[in-house]
Amino acid sequence: MAEADAKVKDAPKKKKGLPALLVPLLACVLGAGAGGAGAAIALIKFAPALLGGGGAAHAPAAAPHDPVPEGPLEYVEVDNAFTSNLADSGRYLQIKISLSTFGGPEAVESIEKHKPAIVSAVLAALGEVREPDIESAKAKDDLRERLKGVINSALKSKGEPGGVEEVFFTSLVVQ
């Protein structure tokens, strides 16, 4: 029997308590956190529809600076390939763009007429682009919006009403 007692004394003691409960407790806390985050996202996304009362999402009102659609949607391809060094690296960005407008033939004509000013404005804006400005889909959407503003400002500086609704990337290469 002394031999059996010696084996029991030499055997490593099992630790009970905290480590055994830590994994399920951690899983519960992380699950609750993920559920709360999902609820917050859902609330942010659907709160306007719920507060509006109708349950159906309403189209957003046009911002005061957006031109009111006048004619059919038309697309204008900008033939230039824009190439620019990224501001924070040795890499470069090359894009091609198309523009859309509801301004009718007058808007298309003003875009064509002032294409040199548009090209210059786009190149100046691209000179400020950094790698984070093109890393995600959201970043690229933000860049498209920035280019839209730059193009409309260039048109307005030439006495035109602007009228570019959207900028589309038809090609985007980073090397």
Side-chain angles (χ1 to χ4, degrees), residues 27-149:
C28 288
V29 169
L30 291 175
I41 291 170
L43 182 62
I44 290 168
K45 182 171 181 153
F46 297 113
L50 295 174
L51 294 175
H58 300 285
H65 64 311
D66 287 344
V68 177
E70 299 171 5
L73 180 66
E74 296 185 54
Y75 295 95
V76 179
E77 179 78 25
V78 179
D79 298 329
N80 297 60
F82 299 93
T83 304
S84 178
N85 292 328
L86 293 173
D88 60 348
S89 72
R91 301 174 75 191
Y92 70 90
L93 168 70
Q94 183 178 58
I95 64 169
K96 289 190 78 171
I97 60 174
S98 284
L99 312 173
S100 67
T101 182
F102 283 108
E106 296 84 17
V108 172
E109 184 179 317
S110 70
I111 290 168
E112 293 291 339
K113 177 180 176 182
H114 299 292
K115 206 174 269 188
I118 291 171
V119 168
S120 179
V122 168
L123 284 173
L126 290 178
E128 299 173 356
V129 173
R130 300 171 303 119
E131 284 202 42
D133 297 330
I134 54 170
E135 285 180 339
S136 67
K138 166 117 176 62
K140 289 175 183 132
D141 286 343
D142 292 345
L143 178 58
R144 289 185 320 106
E145 283 298 312
R146 190 174 348 152
L147 293 178
K148 172 186 163 185

